[in-house]
Amino acid sequence: AAIAKALAEHGAAVTLLSGGPPIGHLDHGAATLVQLPPVTAADATFRTLIDGAGRPVDDAFKARRRASVLAAFEAARPDVVVTELYPFGRRLLAFELEPLTDAAQARGARLVCSLRDIIVAKTDPRRTAAMLARADRYATILVHGDRDLLPLEASFPAASAIADKLLYTGYVEGPEGPPPPGQDGVGEVIVSVGGGRVGMALVDAALAARAITPARERTWRILLGGDFDPQARARAAAAARDGVIVQAARPDFPGLLARAALSISQSGYNTVVDVIRAGVRCVLVPFAAEQEREQGLRAAALVRMGRAVMVEEAGLTPENLAAAIERSLQGPPPPLHEVRMGGAATSARAILDRPART
């Protein structure tokens, strides 16, 4: 959405296809948003898609999605088609993305891939070879990260085979400028678990750890993402006590962090970008279910920079979390390392102008 908004600000006519659940506060600027019939992953294995009613996606549903995607393509008649993560992921959506990229090639549209800073590497060399073969059709692969912090090779050793296509854009962040004014967050401990279905273990540990940390007299604000399990949400609210606020995730999250004493979170892309921009002390508990490595790699990179304290998910207990909180609060403040940002604007220029690669 940030890249689509930046493209529109550069004068492009942009159509943004959104395939997940609708997001009420999504800021896509002047881009045209096309909401597809939504799908999500059924669980942390990411092997099964379900529709908005929680039913497994069948062939008829896939046909409707594919038709919607191709209809949007025909209506827009684009010069450039940007696919997010695909062909390096989103394999379950190949039923619609392969026809889209085929149509783009047939029409002469340029293909661009939009990647976060980390690819979840596959151990099967045949899968890697298939990714690279599909990537050969792409003119440019935008890596939304900082090579000095996390080169793509750290998560995807085969990146050297596509080095001529790679362009590091810097991290894609939210709106520029100072955080909005307010008192919420001042001196607080902000516990956030993003918008996914996971994170209750972190919330439970944080609620139990508060009383044994140096921050026990501070206000703790626990932010729960939109997909958080309703029963778990109710349990968290029931466990709240004086000095603890439990509420839904807020669009002013960057402002809360900028005023906070400490952030406790997982290490998803958007959260880490917000933490870096805020310059706030942080404790990261990377999501690691089903041998997931992305968040662990990102958290480890920040630990190496002196920007974070990390607790492995497998070792998450109230005591271990409390010890990490104490180390973060009593250690030196985060160093002012420059991490490359501005990824939305750089991506827009690359998509429109194809500048020299960096």
Side-chain angles (χ1 to χ4, degrees):
I3 294 168
K5 180 180 179 180
L7 280 164
E9 289 171 349
H10 280 72
V14 186
T15 300
L16 173 64
L17 273 62
S18 179
I23 301 173
H25 60 269
L26 186 67
D27 182 7
H28 51 82
T32 298
L33 178 68
V34 175
Q35 175 63 55
L36 300 172
V39 296
T40 57
D43 53 38
T45 67
F46 300 103
R47 296 190 185 110
T48 303
L49 292 176
I50 57 175
D51 65 15
R55 298 179 297 250
V57 165
D58 59 17
D59 289 342
F61 184 98
K62 291 179 181 179
R64 291 194 297 273
R65 280 262 302 205
R66 182 164 53 244
S68 297
V69 169
L70 293 177
F73 173 81
E74 290 299 328
R77 302 183 65 83
D79 299 302
V80 183
V81 170
V82 183
T83 58
E84 188 268 334
L85 186 53
Y86 193 80
F88 301 97
R90 304 284 186 254
R91 191 165 59 97
L92 290 178
L93 298 178
F95 67 86
E96 64 190 18
L97 292 173
E98 273 299 289
L100 174 63
T101 53
D102 287 344
Q105 272 203 305
R107 187 71 58 78
R110 185 159 52 93
L111 285 173
V112 175
C113 177
S114 168
L115 288 179
R116 291 187 180 189
D117 52 349
I118 293 169
I119 294 176
V120 179
K122 306 301 179 184
T123 56
D124 186 346
R126 293 171 298 180
R127 293 271 295 279
T128 299
M131 289 180 191
L132 294 175
R134 292 189 181 96
D136 191 56
R137 303 197 293 176
Y138 283 71
T140 307
I141 298 170
L142 304 175
V143 183
H144 305 308
D146 184 335
R147 182 178 177 82
D148 292 336
L149 176 65
L150 259 177
L152 193 61
E153 290 83 356
S155 59
F156 189 62
S160 57
I162 51 174
D164 62 322
K165 297 177 183 287
L166 300 181
L167 191 155
Y168 287 84
T169 69
Y171 284 88
V172 177
E173 72 271 44
E176 298 284 346
Q183 291 300 308
D184 287 357
V186 174
E188 295 180 357
V189 174
I190 307 294
V191 182
S192 60
V193 290
R197 296 177 182 274
V198 296
M200 193 60 216
L202 176 54
V203 172
D204 285 340
L207 287 168
R210 179 174 180 256
I212 55 174
T213 72
R216 56 186 170 272
E217 300 302 325
R218 295 180 181 272
T219 296
W220 286 44
R221 189 179 299 270
I222 299 177
L223 303 177
L224 308 179
D227 288 340
F228 209 73
D229 179 76
Q231 292 183 343
R233 186 186 301 272
R235 191 164 79 247
R241 57 188 69 87
D242 288 345
V244 177
I245 300 168
V246 178
Q247 60 186 181
R250 295 170 44 156
D252 63 343
F253 179 63
L256 296 177
L257 288 184
R259 297 185 286 269
L262 178 71
S263 168
I264 302 172
S265 70
Q266 296 171 307
S267 49
Y269 184 96
N270 294 326
T271 301
V272 164
V273 169
D274 288 336
V275 165
I276 291 173
R277 290 180 74 199
V280 64
R281 298 171 188 264
C282 69
V283 173
L284 299 177
V285 184
F287 170 63
E290 297 294 328
Q291 299 180 328
E292 179 69 41
R293 295 177 60 242
E294 174 187 343
Q295 292 200 10
L297 287 170
R298 190 176 294 119
L302 266 68
V303 170
R304 289 193 297 272
M305 292 177 64
R307 292 294 299 259
V309 175
M310 180 170 64
V311 178
E312 298 283 357
E313 188 178 66
L316 178 62
T317 65
E319 294 74 20
N320 288 345
L321 184 59
I325 291 168
E326 184 169 0
R327 290 199 304 275
S328 182
L329 289 174
Q330 295 185 356
L336 297 176
H337 287 294
E338 287 294 328
V339 177
R340 188 178 175 195
M341 297 288 181
T346 302
S347 297
R349 290 193 296 268
I351 291 167
L352 296 173
D353 301 329
R354 305 178 69 180
R357 291 178 174 80
T358 58

mmCIF file of all heavy atoms in Angstrom, residues 300-318:
data_model
loop_
_atom_site.group_PDB
_atom_site.id
_atom_site.type_symbol
_atom_site.label_atom_id
_atom_site.label_comp_id
_atom_site.label_asym_id
_atom_site.label_seq_id
_atom_site.Cartn_x
_atom_site.Cartn_y
_atom_site.Cartn_z
ATOM 1 N N ALA A 300 18.082 -11.178 15.189
ATOM 2 C CA ALA A 300 19.512 -11.372 15.421
ATOM 3 C C ALA A 300 20.327 -10.239 14.813
ATOM 4 O O ALA A 300 21.340 -9.806 15.385
ATOM 5 C CB ALA A 300 19.958 -12.716 14.859
ATOM 6 N N ALA A 301 19.890 -9.725 13.655
ATOM 7 C CA ALA A 301 20.599 -8.607 13.030
ATOM 8 C C ALA A 301 20.540 -7.369 13.921
ATOM 9 O O ALA A 301 21.534 -6.646 14.072
ATOM 10 C CB ALA A 301 20.002 -8.311 11.656
ATOM 11 N N LEU A 302 19.396 -7.119 14.551
ATOM 12 C CA LEU A 302 19.288 -5.968 15.443
ATOM 13 C C LEU A 302 20.088 -6.167 16.724
ATOM 14 O O LEU A 302 20.642 -5.204 17.268
ATOM 15 C CB LEU A 302 17.823 -5.683 15.767
ATOM 16 C CG LEU A 302 17.166 -4.647 14.854
ATOM 17 C CD1 LEU A 302 17.021 -5.172 13.436
ATOM 18 C CD2 LEU A 302 15.800 -4.225 15.388
ATOM 19 N N VAL A 303 20.154 -7.395 17.212
ATOM 20 C CA VAL A 303 20.986 -7.676 18.391
ATOM 21 C C VAL A 303 22.441 -7.373 18.076
ATOM 22 O O VAL A 303 23.169 -6.763 18.884
ATOM 23 C CB VAL A 303 20.798 -9.135 18.846
ATOM 24 C CG1 VAL A 303 21.829 -9.497 19.913
ATOM 25 C CG2 VAL A 303 19.386 -9.345 19.392
ATOM 26 N N ARG A 304 22.912 -7.783 16.885
ATOM 27 C CA ARG A 304 24.308 -7.521 16.498
ATOM 28 C C ARG A 304 24.600 -6.029 16.446
ATOM 29 O O ARG A 304 25.721 -5.596 16.717
ATOM 30 C CB ARG A 304 24.607 -8.165 15.135
ATOM 31 C CG ARG A 304 24.688 -9.677 15.164
ATOM 32 C CD ARG A 304 25.305 -10.216 13.877
ATOM 33 N NE ARG A 304 24.506 -9.913 12.702
ATOM 34 C CZ ARG A 304 23.526 -10.672 12.235
ATOM 35 N NH1 ARG A 304 23.203 -11.797 12.871
ATOM 36 N NH2 ARG A 304 22.865 -10.335 11.140
ATOM 37 N N MET A 305 23.606 -5.235 16.097
ATOM 38 C CA MET A 305 23.779 -3.780 16.042
ATOM 39 C C MET A 305 23.700 -3.134 17.417
ATOM 40 O O MET A 305 23.933 -1.933 17.546
ATOM 41 C CB MET A 305 22.695 -3.152 15.159
ATOM 42 C CG MET A 305 22.787 -3.465 13.687
ATOM 43 S SD MET A 305 21.389 -2.710 12.810
ATOM 44 C CE MET A 305 21.717 -0.970 13.085
ATOM 45 N N GLY A 306 23.316 -3.893 18.438
ATOM 46 C CA GLY A 306 23.086 -3.301 19.746
ATOM 47 C C GLY A 306 21.756 -2.596 19.857
ATOM 48 O O GLY A 306 21.543 -1.787 20.768
ATOM 49 N N ARG A 307 20.817 -2.911 18.943
ATOM 50 C CA ARG A 307 19.532 -2.238 18.929
ATOM 51 C C ARG A 307 18.444 -3.000 19.667
ATOM 52 O O ARG A 307 17.321 -2.503 19.793
ATOM 53 C CB ARG A 307 19.058 -2.040 17.474
ATOM 54 C CG ARG A 307 19.868 -1.072 16.648
ATOM 55 C CD ARG A 307 19.763 0.341 17.163
ATOM 56 N NE ARG A 307 18.407 0.861 17.152
ATOM 57 C CZ ARG A 307 17.940 1.683 16.233
ATOM 58 N NH1 ARG A 307 18.721 2.082 15.252
ATOM 59 N NH2 ARG A 307 16.716 2.132 16.308
ATOM 60 N N ALA A 308 18.716 -4.243 20.107
ATOM 61 C CA ALA A 308 17.647 -5.052 20.695
ATOM 62 C C ALA A 308 18.214 -6.086 21.643
ATOM 63 O O ALA A 308 19.399 -6.448 21.572
ATOM 64 C CB ALA A 308 16.847 -5.741 19.588
ATOM 65 N N VAL A 309 17.352 -6.576 22.523
ATOM 66 C CA VAL A 309 17.599 -7.765 23.333
ATOM 67 C C VAL A 309 16.607 -8.813 22.842
ATOM 68 O O VAL A 309 15.432 -8.495 22.604
ATOM 69 C CB VAL A 309 17.404 -7.487 24.830
ATOM 70 C CG1 VAL A 309 17.548 -8.779 25.637
ATOM 71 C CG2 VAL A 309 18.386 -6.431 25.314
ATOM 72 N N MET A 310 17.060 -10.051 22.680
ATOM 73 C CA MET A 310 16.197 -11.080 22.104
ATOM 74 C C MET A 310 15.957 -12.210 23.094
ATOM 75 O O MET A 310 16.861 -12.601 23.829
ATOM 76 C CB MET A 310 16.820 -11.654 20.816
ATOM 77 C CG MET A 310 15.975 -12.732 20.147
ATOM 78 S SD MET A 310 16.559 -13.206 18.492
ATOM 79 C CE MET A 310 18.177 -13.905 18.854
ATOM 80 N N VAL A 311 14.732 -12.721 23.095
ATOM 81 C CA VAL A 311 14.370 -13.921 23.833
ATOM 82 C C VAL A 311 13.845 -14.928 22.827
ATOM 83 O O VAL A 311 12.907 -14.625 22.069
ATOM 84 C CB VAL A 311 13.275 -13.647 24.896
ATOM 85 C CG1 VAL A 311 12.887 -14.940 25.601
ATOM 86 C CG2 VAL A 311 13.747 -12.606 25.900
ATOM 87 N N GLU A 312 14.452 -16.088 22.764
ATOM 88 C CA GLU A 312 13.974 -17.118 21.842
ATOM 89 C C GLU A 312 12.583 -17.576 22.265
ATOM 90 O O GLU A 312 12.299 -17.749 23.444
ATOM 91 C CB GLU A 312 14.930 -18.314 21.840
ATOM 92 C CG GLU A 312 16.345 -18.000 21.377
ATOM 93 C CD GLU A 312 16.452 -17.854 19.871
ATOM 94 O OE1 GLU A 312 15.420 -18.065 19.177
ATOM 95 O OE2 GLU A 312 17.551 -17.521 19.387
ATOM 96 N N GLU A 313 11.707 -17.782 21.273
ATOM 97 C CA GLU A 313 10.341 -18.205 21.576
ATOM 98 C C GLU A 313 10.325 -19.521 22.352
ATOM 99 O O GLU A 313 9.505 -19.700 23.263
ATOM 100 C CB GLU A 313 9.547 -18.354 20.276
ATOM 101 C CG GLU A 313 8.066 -18.598 20.487
ATOM 102 C CD GLU A 313 7.312 -18.686 19.177
ATOM 103 O OE1 GLU A 313 7.545 -19.649 18.412
ATOM 104 O OE2 GLU A 313 6.474 -17.804 18.918
ATOM 105 N N ALA A 314 11.246 -20.433 22.010
ATOM 106 C CA ALA A 314 11.276 -21.729 22.694
ATOM 107 C C ALA A 314 11.627 -21.585 24.170
ATOM 108 O O ALA A 314 11.269 -22.441 24.986
ATOM 109 C CB ALA A 314 12.273 -22.663 22.003
ATOM 110 N N GLY A 315 12.327 -20.521 24.539
ATOM 111 C CA GLY A 315 12.713 -20.313 25.934
ATOM 112 C C GLY A 315 11.921 -19.219 26.620
ATOM 113 O O GLY A 315 12.354 -18.686 27.648
ATOM 114 N N LEU A 316 10.750 -18.868 26.044
ATOM 115 C CA LEU A 316 9.970 -17.770 26.601
ATOM 116 C C LEU A 316 9.279 -18.194 27.896
ATOM 117 O O LEU A 316 8.418 -19.071 27.913
ATOM 118 C CB LEU A 316 8.929 -17.304 25.585
ATOM 119 C CG LEU A 316 7.997 -16.172 26.044
ATOM 120 C CD1 LEU A 316 8.790 -14.910 26.361
ATOM 121 C CD2 LEU A 316 6.933 -15.888 24.988
ATOM 122 N N THR A 317 9.674 -17.576 28.998
ATOM 123 C CA THR A 317 9.008 -17.722 30.292
ATOM 124 C C THR A 317 8.905 -16.331 30.896
ATOM 125 O O THR A 317 9.640 -15.406 30.483
ATOM 126 C CB THR A 317 9.805 -18.622 31.245
ATOM 127 O OG1 THR A 317 11.065 -17.974 31.552
ATOM 128 C CG2 THR A 317 10.071 -20.000 30.639
ATOM 129 N N PRO A 318 8.028 -16.126 31.858
ATOM 130 C CA PRO A 318 7.987 -14.813 32.515
ATOM 131 C C PRO A 318 9.339 -14.402 33.083
ATOM 132 O O PRO A 318 9.732 -13.227 32.991
ATOM 133 C CB PRO A 318 6.949 -15.007 33.616
ATOM 134 C CG PRO A 318 6.040 -16.080 33.084
ATOM 135 C CD PRO A 318 6.939 -17.005 32.331
#
